[in-house]
Amino acid sequence: MEFRPCIDIHNGKVKQIVGGSLKDQGDQAEENFVAEQDAAFFAKLYRNAGLKGGHIILLNPTDSPYYSETKRQAFLALSAYPGGLQVGGGITPGNAEEYLKAGASHVIVTSYVFQEGRIHFDRLNELVSAVGKERLVLDVSCKRRGGSYVVMTDRWQKETDEIVDQELLDRLSECCDEFLIHAVDVEGRSGGIERELVELLGRFEARPVTYAGGIHTLSDLQAIRNLGQGRVNFTIGSALDLFGGKLKWEDVLSECR
């Protein structure tokens, strides 16, 4: 189990938001925290702590008036920690190489692959051809629907009909290096983890998996360790003191070590 830190960028600022509140129209989101520092500050912090595999997420669509500044912030972070961070948000076969050349270890993709409510394997194969599966992370962030979890796309605004289960992860694992999975219902709420989802992810062994959503105490980390059988990595956003929360950065590092 590893700590995978995050840098979420919205409207050109490093932020922590309530995941389910994000709206492309008007570039709106319910904010938990807006950093005074730029993205490079956090990248250097993670580099100095020896943390790898963290992710930068661009939360504006490409047609947003804020997109160019959000992208600039992402590139600042990549240049501050080359090879140490993954990047996602609007990634396509046409722009993936730009981020990799800028220093990203991997690109993270959801919406390009999951469209019209299902997986498009032709698009997935196109991505694999463009960057290689060893540099591709698939984001299968999900929301509970009935007794299952369904993949969410377009910055967690659209539901698909693809259910996150062992079969889906096994199918997709042949085309990627890792998975990133935000539990959208609890993302940014600091109210506890989706235990059933973590337990499901803990049964999957083929690829590294990073879970995000709801972590707010050290006991949540212990639950992830137990439910995830030590296999599930994690990220913490709003609850971390770096982003205005009460969970101390040093305590999280100590817990992982």
Side-chain angles (χ1 to χ4, degrees):
M1 186 177 81
E2 299 177 359
F3 176 29
R4 301 288 189 88
C6 63
I7 302 174
D8 295 343
I9 309 171
H10 182 246
N11 294 357
K13 300 284 187 180
V14 176
K15 292 183 182 180
Q16 286 297 314
I17 67 169
V18 176
S21 73
L22 193 61
K23 299 286 186 295
D24 286 350
Q25 185 174 4
D27 295 295
Q28 299 177 40
E30 183 180 337
E31 297 171 347
N32 288 328
F33 178 83
V34 181
E36 296 180 0
Q37 304 92 340
D38 65 10
F41 169 87
F42 294 96
K44 291 173 184 175
L45 188 68
Y46 303 154
R47 181 194 67 197
N48 293 340
L51 298 172
K52 285 197 169 187
H55 53 273
I56 304 165
I57 303 295
L58 290 74
L59 291 173
N60 291 102
T62 56
D63 60 355
S64 164
Y66 295 99
Y67 179 76
S68 60
E69 179 59 21
T70 291
K71 183 177 178 181
R72 188 182 76 84
Q73 286 292 322
F75 274 70
L76 286 176
L78 293 174
S79 65
Y81 192 7
L85 296 165
Q86 306 167 358
V87 64
I91 302 294
T92 69
N95 65 15
E97 189 63 27
E98 180 184 10
Y99 289 98
L100 295 172
K101 286 182 177 179
S105 66
H106 298 68
V107 289
I108 305 168
V109 178
T110 306
S111 300
Y112 187 79
V113 171
F114 293 87
Q115 295 198 352
E116 295 89 37
R118 62 184 181 85
I119 303 169
H120 287 251
F121 280 96
D122 56 336
R123 286 175 165 253
L124 179 54
N125 291 332
E126 188 181 359
L127 273 165
V128 172
S129 296
V131 304
K133 71 176 185 178
E134 69 280 357
R135 304 194 75 177
L136 180 61
V137 176
L138 290 178
D139 183 333
V140 288
S141 295
C142 56
K143 186 173 185 176
R144 186 182 285 275
R145 187 171 72 192
S148 303
Y149 293 95
V150 295
V151 176
M152 301 293 292
T153 68
D154 297 274
R155 292 158 298 281
W156 310 320
Q157 294 169 83
K158 295 181 181 178
E159 289 188 14
T160 73
D161 293 322
E162 299 288 354
I163 295 173
V164 178
D165 56 17
Q166 297 297 309
E167 181 182 358
L168 178 71
L169 296 176
D170 283 336
R171 289 169 66 199
L172 295 178
S173 67
E174 298 178 4
C175 303
C176 70
D177 194 47
E178 296 188 12
F179 291 99
L180 172 63
I181 302 179
H182 292 79
V184 175
D185 290 314
V186 297
E187 171 67 20
R189 300 186 184 277
S190 298
I193 63 172
E194 281 276 11
R195 298 174 69 90
E196 186 177 333
L197 178 59
V198 174
E199 191 171 14
L200 183 157
L201 300 177
R203 294 193 293 269
F204 178 70
E205 302 181 51
R207 293 285 183 271
V209 175
T210 297
Y211 166 87
I215 298 171
H216 71 306
T217 64
L218 292 179
S219 62
D220 286 326
L221 301 186
Q222 293 159 5
I224 291 172
R225 189 186 303 277
N226 294 333
L227 294 168
Q229 302 182 58
R231 300 190 186 106
V232 178
N233 303 319
F234 66 93
T235 191
I236 306 175
S238 299
L240 203 61
D241 61 355
L242 297 180
F243 303 118
K246 296 180 179 180
L247 190 54
K248 293 183 179 180
W249 156 258
E250 292 85 359
D251 289 346
V252 174
L253 295 179
S254 297
E255 179 72 17
C256 293
R257 289 171 182 152

